[in-house]
Every structure is written in C-alpha cells, then in structure tokens.
Amino acid sequence: MYLGIVEDDPDQLDLLTLWAESSQHKARGFANAQAFMSSLGQDRFDLILIDWMLPDSTGLELVRWIREHIGWETPVMVFTSCDDESTVV
C-alpha cells in the first residue's frame, strides 16, 4: 500500500512514515497541503492520512479538495492531537 501523509510536524511525520514502512508499506510525507496537492500529478496514493491542523489549510478543506480533484475512491483518514469534543466529533 502506498500512503500519502500530510503532517506539518517533522517529528510526527517521521514517526508516521516509520510506522507505515515498518509494516511493509511505502509512504511519502508532505509538510503542508500545497506540497501534497502539487504531487498528485506524480503520485496516486492507496490511502491518504491528513493532520487536522495544517499551516496552509485545514483537514476539512483538504478532504474537500481531494474529493473534488481525486474523487471518492481513495480512502482518507484525518488525525489530530486535539481532544476537545467539537473537533473530535
């Protein structure tokens, strides 16, 4: 499986990439939404992992962009360190 990971914290991005690769998956990380969007001419991901809070977008905005430009076939997971109920819901 080829994973696209959008996470602005370099340590978190490294950890997520390590976990994916240690499970025999390939992963490519992006520090922001723009870098991810720019890569889509070159990459097709089997799963996309997105941080909820990014420096140039939000997880929700990026999911909307993905659905409009890639479609609904590719699964997307959004993650966050926020634990307030309104964000989690």
Side-chain angles (χ1 to χ4, degrees):
M1 183 178 287
Y2 188 31
L3 285 76
I5 305 171
V6 187
E7 166 61 69
D8 61 316
D9 182 305
D11 293 331
Q12 292 296 322
L13 181 56
D14 288 346
L15 181 60
L16 290 166
T17 302
L18 176 69
W19 285 345
E21 292 176 349
S22 69
S23 298
Q24 308 305 311
H25 301 292
K26 287 177 48 180
R28 181 167 177 201
F30 304 92
N32 58 56
Q34 186 59 48
F36 170 77
M37 293 184 288
S38 296
S39 80
L40 290 180
Q42 307 156 7
D43 289 311
R44 291 291 294 174
F45 299 104
D46 300 307
L47 173 65
I48 302 168
L49 305 175
I50 301 172
D51 185 4
W52 184 248
M53 296 185 299
L54 296 165
D56 61 343
S57 186
T58 67
L60 181 59
E61 290 169 347
L62 188 52
V63 170
R64 286 181 178 147
W65 187 92
I66 289 168
R67 295 302 178 224
E68 289 175 11
H69 294 88
I70 298 174
W72 290 85
E73 299 80 27
T74 305
V76 176
M77 292 180 86
V78 179
F79 57 91
T80 184
S81 62
C82 296
D83 61 0
D84 63 281
E85 186 175 351
S86 63
T87 299
V88 173
V89 171

